[in-house]
Amino acid sequence: MTSEPLSKLSVLSRALEGELLTDRLSRLLYATDASPHQKMPLAVARPKHRDDCVTLMRFAAQERLPLIPRAAGTSLAGQCVGDGLVIDFTRHMNRIVSIDPERRRARVQPGVIRDDLNDALSPFGLMFAPDPSTSNRCTIGGMFGNNAWGSHALRYGTTRDHSLSAEAVLSDGSIARFESLGGEQLREKLALDNLEGRIYRAVYQAIDRRRALILDRFPRPDGIPRNAGYPLDVLARGQPWESRGPPFNLARLLCGSEGTLALVGEIEVGLVPLPARRRLVCVQFDSLPQALSAVAVTLNHKPSALELVDRHILELTKTNLEQQRNRFWIEGDPAAVLLIDFVNETGGEVDATVSNLMAELRSRNLGYARKVLESPLRERALGLRAAGLGLLMGMPGPVKAVTGIEDTAVSVKDLPAYAEAIFSIMARHGVDCVVFGPAGWGVLHFRPLLDLRSREGRRLYERIVEEVFERAIRFGGTISAKHGDGRLRSPYLEGLLGGELYGLLHGIKAAFDPHDLLNPHKIFDPPPLVSDLRAHDNGKPVAAYFDWSREAGLRIAASKCNGAGVCLKSAGRGTMCPSYMATREEKHGTRGRANIFRQVMDSSEPWTAMNRELLRDVLDLCLACKGCKSECPANVDLARMKAEFLQQHYDRAGVPWRARIVGNFDRLSRIASFAPTLSNAVLAQIWVKSRLGFHPERPLPPLASEPFSRWLKRRRPAEPAGQKGEVLLFNDPFTEFYEPRLAIAAFEVLERFGFRMAATPCLESGRIQISQGLLSAARKRLSRAVERLYPSAVTGRWIIGLEPSEILTFRDEAADLLEGEELRKKARIVADRTLTFEEFIVHESGRLGKNPFGDALAGKTLLVHGHCHQKALLGMQPLLKALSLIPGVEVRPIPSGCCGMAGVFGYEEEHHAVSLDIAELVLFPAIREAGTDALIVAPGTSCRRQIADGLGVRAYHPVEVMLMAMGLP
């Protein structure tokens, strides 16, 4: 950026109450959305209120500076990619202004998240109906800009159908409210002598003079959704031209205009009652044509949603940690499935309709398996469909299911023939293709499998897009049905609408925005399709410590994130991403980090000092919780990528003092254990904590008076013991030196169950070193541990661990970090025989007897917080099921993500505050509300320390709870 633009932007920065970000990192973060395109913006503005939007618009008009409105950045067509000034509405303009339950409407700022709005509406029995698959992070402003709709559009329609009015900042900085107008009101607007009046006259005259052309040339409205250009046809079917049509309302024109006409600062939306009954019919087919043939039959029963998912996505769910749990309804290996949802506000007729549909499907022999699901199983099955895009981006290797032709739509009756035509195009080019989407509305998301990094891949991409669009138009369909025009489809919009109508729309744009400042090059004057693609190949592999071969190397692994933003969750909606939930900053979410990692890896020299500084900045608040490894549909593992980066950084800049200390935690703990009282007194000193870089208010965990191994040497095994076989306890440093009572409890519990117990000497899995990025040191410790555990594992003995992060390292990173195939083979055998303590209890529950525990805890509530790695790699079920074996207790999971401690993260002086902020999102409030009668259960040592330090409440390991249930001290 030159000095002149910088000086002008500094003037703008001083005029804003919000922020203006001009640093390189921020610009890189906002250079992409969920499309294949990438363009470095000039700067990023985050307006605080409407007056900031006015300031931005007036500055843009004065300086002829392009403005690019942006909400959640989940657009698939490149709507918010450009080289101007990006305006992010999500940071500050995210307030629900008012809710009017009686009139069923709400007023919101553009940054309000759709699901958050519905959470606020739920107590009134209402909801905002459009439900795109990104509903837990997309905003009302983004939905308005793209006229978004989702699976249930068959029942509820699109965002435009629920948009009542909009307050907008026009291109001259003036403010206008667009709403429904009666005849006299419209005449008053037409007579205004200002920009608002010119806009009304331009739109009115365009429709009045060319109404026949508009109604003829727009894709026919017989059930085909369309988001192509500006919806003049929608207005042309209303008043004053159709007396019984809806009133004239320019908010309906703005909806779907992709930020090219005005800056929208407030939106009034209509609301509908919450459904009282929901049932989902899942039908599985041996072939895609058979599934398509069932669509028309199903529509006769008026479903609320009808989605198709093909074999490609179903296959990917087998290896996705999160979606494996949502495959429970799938039988065999279907070529395609239909998910047919029925909802009703009164609760009536749904059951009868479902029964009638099932009967017709059976009579026509449509589908080889049919199931009906109710909540909560219904939501899990629909979650599998919603994850489709992310799953496709997680495909290993450089070939991806690319966007571009996925937004075409034709009449449902033409769908089988159209699909056959598209697959013929693919076959002619030798390209495989994924297909999924809302088939019930004539939309199939075709995604060809291409490598856009290669010249041949980009050539094929252009050819396929051109041929498919030509075929869609020939079928009387549209090229932009749902995801809009953006960068992707704007080059082909004139071919869809014809030159005359396209020119008419251009006149509307000129009336609103005469200097082309608002999101230029979208809809009109677009650059070529393959310009500014973010995928490129510089041909140089990157040396790495982890084995990234399953992803075809570190470069390709870094490109798995497509930008859909599943990580941009509000608190209570999952584990990923705790630092984003606490800060709401793009750079502290998985998408932001992966975005920067990809751009760094795509550079010719990834590990330069400048690039390493970028990565340090975005990875600083990464807690390595591994929520992204499971909850991200693409399985982006930022914890592993962070560890890889840190080691690469240390190789070039040296290992910091604190990382060296933490990396030798096991050895230092062993030395300190010889004088635990003295050691604890020293470590409690503020100056010691300051020297270590730890926060003075955070107590360090106290050493136990005696290590576990010392206790073990002097005890005798319980008698009788061993009839159920021998179990080996993995004795990690936390258990050995700090909480030996847990290992003692494990021995007591399992020996009472009839197992013969043994324990390893104190061993490290390398977890601490991996978390610090000391991969060379982790490799050495892992090697020793694997060699020690292998003889037990190869004989079939179970190896159990009490600290989830330690024992799960063998099942997660071990084989990919160790060197040499022989050692990796041993690591895989060890991984197959390792279980958490709770997993082992569940695994052996059938052999524990009818009531393995006593009634000492009957009537108690167990409030359970799962460890992040446990949630990510196993899910909560083993933990909850193990605790549910205790008779008479109520097991209640806390819907928390990470506790915020994350090993040493919460101890570090610079991270202490955000650590507590994360805990305050869900965990701490849930414990406060639980009262003193509930037992707090947390398997992770860091989690228990966070709860103790932050609330003064003791949390128990599950093994302690089981010991209590047996009536033992």
Side-chain angles (χ1 to χ4, degrees), residues 27-39:
R27 295 165 63 214
L28 287 169
L29 285 166
Y30 286 85
T32 62
D33 54 10
S35 75
H37 292 97
Q38 178 173 302
K39 191 82 170 176

Side-chain angles (χ1 to χ4, degrees), residues 394-456:
M395 294 173 65
V399 173
K400 303 294 181 186
V402 301
T403 186
I405 61 169
E406 89 294 343
D407 213 28
T408 59
V410 299
S411 176
V412 169
K413 65 179 176 58
D414 294 327
L415 208 52
Y418 177 66
E420 184 179 354
I422 301 309
F423 282 115
S424 294
I425 292 173
M426 300 299 167
R428 187 165 65 252
H429 292 291
V431 173
D432 198 3
C433 185
V434 182
V435 59
F436 62 104
W441 217 358
V443 180
L444 288 176
H445 298 324
F446 292 99
R447 281 181 169 258
L449 300 178
L450 296 169
D451 178 9
L452 293 187
R453 291 171 172 259
S454 70
R455 183 178 300 176
E456 175 62 13

Side-chain angles (χ1 to χ4, degrees), residues 686-707:
I686 290 178
W687 69 268
V688 174
K689 289 191 275 188
S690 176
R691 182 70 183 91
L692 293 172
F694 295 145
H695 196 278
E697 296 178 13
R698 176 74 78 175
L700 296 177
L703 288 148
S705 59
E706 179 183 54

Side-chain angles (χ1 to χ4, degrees), residues 101-112:
E102 288 74 27
R103 299 172 68 205
R104 292 185 180 174
R105 55 185 60 196
R107 287 195 300 133
V108 300
Q109 291 182 324
V112 171

Side-chain angles (χ1 to χ4, degrees), residues 589-609:
T590 303
R591 179 177 72 174
R593 294 176 181 129
N595 187 0
I596 298 302
F597 218 110
R598 173 187 56 77
Q599 293 185 63
V600 165
M601 288 297 104
D602 278 343
S603 63
S604 57
E605 296 294 337
W607 304 124
T608 63

